[in-house]
Amino acid sequence: MTETWLVVGLGNPGTQYSNNRHNVGQMVLDELASRIGGGFKTHKARAQVLEGRLGIGGPKIVLAKPMCYMNVSGGPVSALTKFFGIEADHVIAVHDEIDIPFNTVKLKIGGGEGGHNGLRDISKALATKDYLRVRVGVGRPPGRMDTADFVLRDFATAEKKELPFLLDEAADAVEMLVSSGLLAAQQKFHPAKN
């Protein structure tokens, strides 16, 4: 039996949110979809879904963009794991992360949600925190700006120039997680500490 992976790009539905920092997870999925070739289709689990393979004969992968607000992402994720028969350790959540600098990608399994309501809802729906996360750094809000206001804004002009490289790197990280495992991916994508 081939292993199937569920890769969930977190974000909010609707064009007014599509370029927000909070939607960077869905932007990464668009990059992965262009690599796999194919378009997203509406699934009964309240998500846009694209099924494909990573490379010829590679692992089966289900890309999913929940079509609900970020803080209720758990329902669609849980429904998709049941529909495709996927265990939590084969779920990869791709999401924005304010606790790491912009232009940085980090990977982990389990742990806290860091105040991220989308992750909190997924952990609750899956009844475990032990799923993989691809954390896409969007940086911290400037000054005293509210975190919610910050993540619901589009990337700054300077960031937009770098964004394609960040999305590319995050997509590479997802592919390596699936093909080589967490440790190998962390060794490649986490910069060595001096």
Side-chain angles (χ1 to χ4, degrees):
M1 186 182 116
T2 50
E3 292 187 327
T4 302
W5 291 80
L6 174 63
V7 182
V8 182
L10 296 186
N12 286 313
T15 50
Q16 72 272 36
Y17 298 110
S18 60
N19 295 313
N20 289 178
R21 288 180 177 89
H22 221 23
N23 274 44
V24 77
Q26 295 197 349
M27 295 176 202
V28 172
L29 258 67
D30 289 336
E31 170 60 30
L32 285 164
S34 73
R35 294 178 183 191
I36 289 172
F40 286 92
K41 295 183 173 59
T42 302
H43 191 276
K44 66 181 181 187
R46 289 196 346 245
Q48 294 281 320
V49 170
L50 169 61
E51 295 177 63
R53 292 201 176 274
L54 277 188
I56 297 165
K60 184 170 178 209
I61 189 166
V62 177
L63 302 179
K65 297 196 277 189
M67 289 292 100
C68 56
Y69 286 100
M70 170 85 80
N71 57 357
V72 289
S73 301
V77 173
S78 175
L80 288 166
T81 59
K82 289 181 179 87
F83 183 87
F84 290 103
I86 298 170
E87 295 297 320
D89 65 353
H90 275 59
V91 173
I92 302 171
V94 186
H95 64 91
D96 59 311
E97 178 61 74
I98 61 165
D99 291 329
I100 51 179
F102 174 75
N103 237 353
T104 307
V105 174
K106 291 205 170 182
L107 307 105
K108 72 175 189 174
I109 185 165
E113 290 100 356
H116 197 294
N117 292 331
L119 293 177
R120 191 175 293 135
D121 201 60
I122 292 170
S123 298
K124 195 170 112 190
L126 295 179
T128 181
K129 294 182 179 192
D130 293 336
Y131 52 91
L132 294 151
R133 295 107 186 256
V134 173
R135 305 158 70 211
V136 184
V138 296
R140 295 209 62 86
R144 294 190 174 164
M145 185 189 287
D146 181 65
T147 302
D149 291 341
F150 177 70
V151 296
L152 292 174
R153 289 198 174 168
D154 289 0
F155 287 96
T157 308
E159 291 172 331
K160 284 180 185 164
K161 290 187 179 75
E162 298 296 320
L163 190 57
F165 303 105
L166 178 62
L167 299 178
D168 204 43
E169 186 177 340
D172 288 348
V174 170
E175 290 184 345
M176 193 164 181
L177 259 183
V178 170
S179 63
S180 310
L182 179 61
L183 199 62
Q186 283 177 328
Q187 286 169 341
K188 180 172 186 341
F189 290 96
H190 294 189
K193 294 189 172 59
N194 298 340

